[in-house]
Amino acid sequence: MTSRFEQLVVDCREPRRLAEFWCAVLDYTVHEDRDGALVEIGPADLAPLAELRARAVAPQILFVRDGARRSAKNPLHIDLCPIDSAQETEIERILALGARRIDIGTPKEAGWVVLADPEGNEFCVLRSLAPGHYEE
């Protein structure tokens, strides 16, 4: 028997706002919205269950309202790899969507850049996988 990564749950203050941000970053769509208290997003091309069981798919992301304030570094975060642009181009696009750069002491020579989403959740933008930007 095996399992697959189904969804990542993010406790947040404004699920709808954060879901809209991540939809724009990942080109996902909203699959369920329970009055803004719980918002589920994922790839637009959801396949029938039998197809989903037969292949790997990107996980859904579920945003759930939680009024608690976070005061420490995220114990888990998302890493993104641009697939059709340079790393810096993708960073600029995500910043325009509402992210911000944060400094957590990452060395300048590191191959990633740390950003925070509109609620301060850290995530990294790794090297580009676009043709001409990635070497094996």
Side-chain angles (χ1 to χ4, degrees), residues 83-105:
I83 58 170
D84 57 8
S85 66
Q87 179 189 44
E88 193 56 38
T89 302
E90 182 65 356
I91 290 167
E92 292 305 317
R93 184 184 78 83
I94 294 170
L95 291 171
L97 293 170
R100 61 186 166 81
R101 291 180 187 262
I102 59 171
D103 182 6
I104 61 167

Side-chain angles (χ1 to χ4, degrees), residues 14-47:
E14 297 182 57
R16 184 174 289 135
R17 177 176 171 238
L18 210 50
E20 289 170 356
F21 169 82
W22 283 104
C23 276
V25 170
L26 300 171
D27 194 25
Y28 275 19
T29 60
V30 172
H31 292 276
E32 182 176 359
D33 186 339
R34 295 187 192 165
D35 296 325
L38 179 148
V39 182
E40 181 178 339
I41 68 170
D45 62 339
L46 280 183

Side-chain angles (χ1 to χ4, degrees), residues 10 20 29-30 37 43 50 60 66-68 78 89 103 109 122 131 135:
V10 178
E20 289 170 356
T29 60
V30 172
Q60 310 257 97
D66 180 358
I78 297 172
T89 302
D103 182 6
E109 64 276 2
E122 298 98 358
E135 293 182 26

